[in-house]
């Protein structure tokens, strides 16, 4: 019997820091094992050779910030069976989406000596604002185990398991003590999606929402805890949502109240 043809994978980058692609590279030996199952047809950071599409799966990092980005992401969608958004920039706009609430033309005048040469969109937006995205991997950077799960699921024709519940459930399962209850530290865990391994609470810090909003995000209940029990000023609570996942509606709504 002949060998089964390996799926073709492409990795793309838009406005981002490359951190999510580095997470893939940092898999090292496991990346080599993945390469035995997947044909890395396009991955400039990891492999020199590039093959043309169409692609079975495209991993896309970064937010859409220029007219050229808008055209390319449409082309990627047409050439890919499955599109996976990698990280906070691709799924939530990233830190660059904070400019969406301001006059882009005004700050271009302040920053650049030749503003007319800067060709950007008025807003920096996640991939889902432009195309259908099959799967989203949250985080800044992503959890590499979730990436492996998506690749494995695609290879075996099943749906990947990606958590959508809040970080609090993950925190409790790992046996960490609640920093809000025991140390009165403000924490965004109740409204943030699980997946990071509760890194900040494990270090005695409050979560700052790098995995974006969970499915059951009761922001009003969290506001009562922060403002009434922890005496956090209301404007400080709202500013807590002005971060790397600013653009998703649950976080944006609270941020705009500041």
């Amino acid at each position: 019997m002949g060998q089964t043809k390996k799926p073709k994978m492409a990795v793309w980058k838009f406005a981002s820091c490359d951190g999510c692609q580095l997470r893939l590279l940092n898999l090292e030996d496991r990346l080599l094992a993945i390469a035995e199952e997947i044909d890395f047809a396009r991955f400039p950071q990891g492999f020199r050779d590039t093959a043309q599409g169409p692609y079975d799966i495209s991993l896309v990092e970064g937010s859409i910030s220029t007219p050229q980005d808008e055209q390319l992401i449409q082309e990627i969608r047409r050439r890919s069976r499955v599109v996976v958004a990698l990280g906070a920039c691709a799924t939530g706009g990233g830190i660059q989406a904070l400019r969406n609430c301001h006059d882009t033309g005004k700050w271009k005048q302040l920053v650049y000596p030749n503003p007319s040469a800067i060709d950007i969109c008025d807003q920096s937006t996640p991939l889902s604002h432009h195309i259908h995205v099959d799967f989203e991997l949250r985080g800044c950077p992503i959890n590499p185990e979730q990436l492996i799960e998506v690749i494995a699921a695609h290879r075996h024709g099943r749906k990947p398991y990606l958590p959508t519940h809040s970080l609090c459930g993950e925190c409790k399962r790992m046996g960490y003590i609640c920093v809000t209850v025991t140390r009165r530290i403000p924490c965004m865990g109740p409204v943030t999606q699980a997946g990071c391994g509760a890194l900040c609470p494990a270090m005695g810090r409050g979560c700052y929402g790098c995995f974006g909003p969970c499915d059951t995000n009761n922001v009003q209940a969290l506001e009562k805890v922060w403002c009434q029990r922890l005496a956090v000023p209301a404007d400080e609570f709202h500013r807590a949502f002005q971060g790397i996942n600013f653009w998703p509606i649950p976080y944006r709504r609270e941020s705009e109240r500041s």
Side-chain angles (χ1 to χ4, degrees):
M1 295 178 62
Q3 290 184 340
T4 303
K5 186 178 179 181
K6 295 193 295 185
K8 293 175 67 175
M9 177 182 289
V11 183
W12 308 84
K13 168 188 161 56
F14 290 98
S16 62
C17 70
D18 285 32
C20 292
Q21 291 187 66
L22 288 174
R23 290 290 262 183
L24 179 55
L25 286 173
N26 287 341
L27 290 171
E28 297 179 342
D29 290 346
R30 297 177 74 182
L31 177 61
L32 297 177
I34 293 172
E36 293 180 357
E37 298 288 329
I38 297 286
D39 177 14
F40 279 95
R42 185 187 189 280
F43 185 13
Q45 280 204 13
F47 301 91
R48 181 176 300 175
D49 296 334
T50 298
Q52 297 298 317
Y55 305 104
D56 293 288
I57 181 170
S58 279
L59 309 178
V60 187
E61 177 187 49
S63 62
I64 306 303
S65 298
T66 70
Q68 293 76 23
D69 290 349
E70 291 179 322
Q71 295 175 10
L72 179 55
I73 193 59
Q74 296 292 342
E75 180 65 20
I76 291 171
R77 179 67 272 185
R78 286 191 292 269
R79 295 163 62 188
S80 308
R81 289 181 57 197
V82 173
V83 172
V84 181
L86 294 186
C89 294
T91 63
I95 196 72
Q96 55 269 29
L98 287 172
R99 69 177 170 87
N100 295 357
C101 294
H102 302 279
D103 185 346
T104 302
K106 183 177 181 180
W107 65 253
K108 281 199 299 184
Q109 294 285 342
L110 294 172
V111 174
Y112 297 99
N114 186 11
S116 61
I118 309 302
D119 186 19
I120 60 173
C121 303
D122 289 336
Q123 295 184 335
S124 183
T125 45
L127 304 187
S128 59
H129 187 76
H130 303 270
I131 63 168
H132 168 70
V133 174
D134 297 284
F135 302 108
E136 290 189 341
L137 299 184
R138 306 278 191 86
C140 184
I142 60 169
N143 181 336
E145 298 299 327
Q146 290 189 355
L147 178 56
I148 291 173
E149 165 64 11
V150 168
I151 294 173
H154 180 272
R155 190 73 177 98
H156 297 286
R158 62 174 176 82
K159 184 178 179 180
Y161 169 71
L162 298 173
T164 58
H165 56 271
S166 78
L167 179 68
C168 290
E170 187 172 34
C171 204
K172 296 299 177 289
R173 283 195 299 273
M174 301 184 76
Y176 299 142
I177 296 174
C178 179
V179 296
T180 297
V181 173
T182 62
R183 300 177 59 184
R184 298 184 61 81
I185 296 175
C187 178
M188 293 180 66
V191 299
T192 299
Q193 182 172 292
C196 67
L199 292 175
C200 290
M203 298 292 107
R205 292 183 52 191
C207 166
Y208 62 92
C210 73
F211 266 62
C214 60
D215 280 356
T216 54
N217 52 82
N218 191 339
V219 178
Q220 291 73 29
L222 183 67
E223 183 175 14
K224 290 181 179 180
V225 172
W226 279 41
C227 299
Q228 297 179 17
R229 298 184 185 180
L230 305 181
V232 174
D235 59 344
E236 185 175 328
F237 171 77
H238 300 312
R239 279 198 303 271
F241 293 87
Q242 295 179 351
I244 56 179
N245 278 292
F246 162 73
W247 201 237
I249 291 175
Y251 280 13
R252 191 194 332 165
R253 184 188 298 119
E254 290 307 309
S255 173
E256 291 172 348
R257 292 175 61 196
S258 63

